[in-house]
Amino acid sequence: MIIRAIEPSETWQIRHEVMWPDQPFEFVQLKEDDFGLHFGVFEDEKLVSIVSCFFTEEEMQFRKLATLEAYQEKGIASELLQYILNLAEEKKMKRVWCNARSNKKSFYEKFGMKDTQQTFVKAEQEFTIMEILL
């Protein structure tokens, strides 16, 4: 498993396939993508998991953490999340947060992230804001 920086456009196929297959492909292309850092996990040179990180002076938001279905349940997303949490610490961020699908809360709680109880619905999916203070 290799984790490395990737281009924003390299995230789109996995975002679409894993997170929003019922939406048009353009739905997963964010205007903000050009302002973020994007990381991918490669298995045998195949991109199998992605995440996008966006920074302010003291905070990092990560978005669109997704792993191809055939590679799920193997700890890949956990490795990628730990990688970006370490990056946030290196960059002296005070807070890391994400909009987590409500049914995935327990995954983020394993990393010490807390549910802020702020929820919303997007395209019929319920989300909750999860955070960790560093």
Side-chain angles (χ1 to χ4, degrees):
M1 174 183 336
I2 295 171
I3 299 174
R4 67 172 172 82
I6 59 175
E7 293 298 317
S9 60
E10 293 178 273
T11 68
W12 298 339
Q13 184 60 44
I14 292 177
R15 284 181 187 174
H16 187 253
E17 185 177 328
V18 175
M19 304 180 86
W20 300 107
D22 298 332
Q23 296 292 334
F25 190 75
E26 297 76 30
F27 188 79
V28 301
Q29 299 173 358
L30 307 177
K31 291 178 291 211
E32 308 88 58
D33 277 341
D34 289 337
F35 305 106
L37 294 178
H38 309 272
F39 299 95
V41 176
F42 292 81
E43 290 273 335
D44 298 321
E45 299 183 33
K46 176 182 174 69
L47 181 61
V48 300
S49 186
I50 52 96
V51 69
S52 299
C53 301
F54 301 88
F55 296 86
T56 62
E57 274 190 43
E58 298 184 335
E59 296 184 348
M60 179 185 83
Q61 178 192 20
F62 66 92
R63 301 175 73 176
K64 312 296 188 208
L65 176 62
T67 303
L68 291 175
E69 189 173 350
Y71 293 86
Q72 292 178 7
E73 305 298 325
K74 297 180 180 194
I76 293 171
S78 294
E79 289 285 332
L80 186 53
L81 181 53
Q82 191 59 60
Y83 181 88
I84 63 169
L85 289 173
N86 292 345
L87 176 67
E89 285 184 7
E90 288 170 18
K91 290 184 170 284
K92 307 275 192 262
M93 298 290 107
K94 293 186 177 170
R95 177 180 180 241
V96 175
W97 64 283
C98 72
N99 297 326
R101 289 181 187 224
S102 294
N103 64 342
K104 301 290 185 183
K105 265 187 354 183
S106 62
F107 171 77
Y108 296 104
E109 289 170 339
K110 289 188 273 184
F111 293 87
M113 298 188 79
K114 306 282 188 227
D115 187 348
T116 66
Q117 305 299 316
Q118 298 174 54
T119 62
F120 64 93
V121 174
K122 177 182 176 183
E124 301 178 19
Q125 287 283 332
E126 183 179 294
F127 291 84
T128 187
I129 297 174
M130 304 285 294
E131 70 177 4
I132 185 169
L133 303 178
L134 303 177

